[in-house]
Amino acid sequence: MILITQDLMASDEGVARAAAILRAGGLVAMPTETVYGLAGDARNGTAVAQIFAAKARPTFNPLIAHVTGLEMAETLAVFDDRARAVAAALWPGALTLVLPLRSDAGLSPLVTAGLSTVAIRCPAHPVAQALLRAFGGPLAAPSANPSGRVSPTRADHVRAGLTGRIDAVLDGGPCTVGVESTILGLDGAPTLLRPGGVPLEALEAMLGPICMGGDAHKPNAPGQLASHYAPEAGVRLAVTAPQADEVWVGFGPGCKGAALSLSPGGDLIEAAAALFQTLRDADALAGPGGRIAFAPVPESGLGRAINDRLRRAAAPRN
């Protein structure tokens, strides 16, 4: 079924309309500080199933439940003192916690992919918070794009990928962080399940050494599939001498001749915010059958999240 996708502005009226659509079991793309999320009522199995259908997302890949804050989060998951301390320090923000699922959470099993844990985030974007408050419950919200493709950081990106498949796009302007949330497992030893908008170093300063985790074959959190964030063009990484037929994307001041740059000054915050738009721009320049080459990006701070996305973009396609 083809839907008429409404364009909603981030006004009181637009937020109220979006909340009404969600209460009726519809889907709304909402802005967050990381990327746009495709929101549906996390307690409505039909709505959650429609998220998977709209994205053509495999149902073994769990979703993140978005909440207004710790009070709502504790109705969904079991928090210990450690998890509460992390949430108090870093929420609202670009951090998702994976915690034991409460038996009375009431979430659709599709949100957790049938697992005994749940991924929860409290977004910092004021429009996302306004929508969560107006709706009055948790919203399941993966990135608002066809599964495996480049994540959306502007409302136009959502429209290009999902018009006709969802009910509305709530336009809150460009996303400021530009890469998805960091996912931290706290259902046992602290484990980094996905690098993202909160650097690993910030988590280690609070928790000490953190294990590395994530399984592309049996994901327990989003963003673990080997091939993800993929443009149409092929992608090559850590390239200092591009080939003549490649669109070279630079990083830092040493990339003279690059067609595009994540950050001419080598700023990782700027690079993260620009990553997905730059992938789209490079894909357009490369054209059908083209190739994109990315200059090296440091594997530290937000560079860890940038490189994670680029490695998945460059992975063999399914």
Side-chain angles (χ1 to χ4, degrees):
M1 181 177 68
I2 298 176
L3 300 173
I4 297 174
T5 301
Q6 302 176 47
D7 292 323
L8 303 176
M9 299 305 295
S11 60
D12 291 346
E13 181 181 356
V15 168
R17 176 61 185 148
I21 291 170
L22 292 166
R23 283 192 290 272
L27 304 184
V28 175
M30 70 174 183
T32 79
E33 70 276 24
T34 57
V35 301
Y36 273 74
L38 180 54
D41 183 350
R43 291 174 168 160
N44 181 331
T46 301
V48 178
Q50 289 172 347
I51 293 175
F52 283 95
K55 286 177 58 68
R57 180 187 178 97
T59 55
F60 62 79
N61 195 8
L63 306 178
I64 296 172
H66 290 66
V67 297
T68 52
L70 184 57
E71 182 178 358
M72 185 183 292
E74 292 209 70
T75 68
L76 308 179
V78 179
F79 279 71
D80 57 17
D81 290 342
R82 176 187 56 175
R84 288 190 190 94
V86 172
L90 296 172
W91 277 1
L95 176 70
T96 295
L97 298 179
V98 173
L99 297 164
L101 177 68
R102 284 181 59 100
S103 59
D104 58 350
L107 295 176
S108 164
L110 284 170
V111 174
T112 61
L115 299 172
S116 62
T117 55
V118 60
I120 304 178
R121 181 162 95 88
C122 172
H125 198 291
V127 177
Q129 278 288 332
L131 181 57
L132 282 160
R133 289 193 300 271
F135 176 68
L139 293 173
S143 57
N145 58 286
S147 185
R149 293 300 176 183
V150 182
S151 297
T153 54
R154 302 180 184 181
D156 283 348
H157 299 165
V158 180
R159 296 183 190 106
L162 295 179
T163 290
R165 301 189 198 180
I166 65 176
D167 295 282
V169 179
L170 183 59
D171 190 343
C175 302
T176 54
V177 175
V179 292
E180 292 87 348
S181 61
T182 299
I183 302 182
L184 177 68
L186 286 179
D187 54 322
T191 303
L192 184 70
L193 299 174
R194 179 179 74 183
V198 173
L200 175 62
E201 292 84 349
L203 298 174
E204 289 180 326
M206 295 184 63
L207 298 168
I210 292 176
C211 304
M212 300 295 113
D215 186 336
H217 301 290
K218 294 181 178 179
N220 60 349
Q224 296 179 0
L225 300 183
S227 178
H228 209 32
Y229 316 108
E232 296 294 335
V235 176
R236 203 161 63 98
L237 305 180
V239 175
T240 56
Q243 297 176 10
D245 62 344
E246 291 179 318
V247 175
W248 191 30
V249 180
F251 175 82
C255 297
K256 293 187 179 358
L260 300 166
S261 180
L262 291 174
S263 171
D267 184 313
L268 288 172
I269 295 175
E270 180 183 29
L275 175 61
F276 290 134
Q277 179 64 49
T278 304
L279 258 175
R280 291 170 185 272
D281 292 344
D283 201 24
L285 285 175
R291 297 192 299 165
I292 306 167
F294 280 86
V297 175
E299 189 74 25
S300 61
L302 285 176
R304 188 174 285 104
I306 294 167
N307 285 320
D308 171 81
R309 304 311 189 269
L310 290 176
R311 282 190 289 269
R312 296 177 197 276
R317 311 292 166 80
N318 296 330

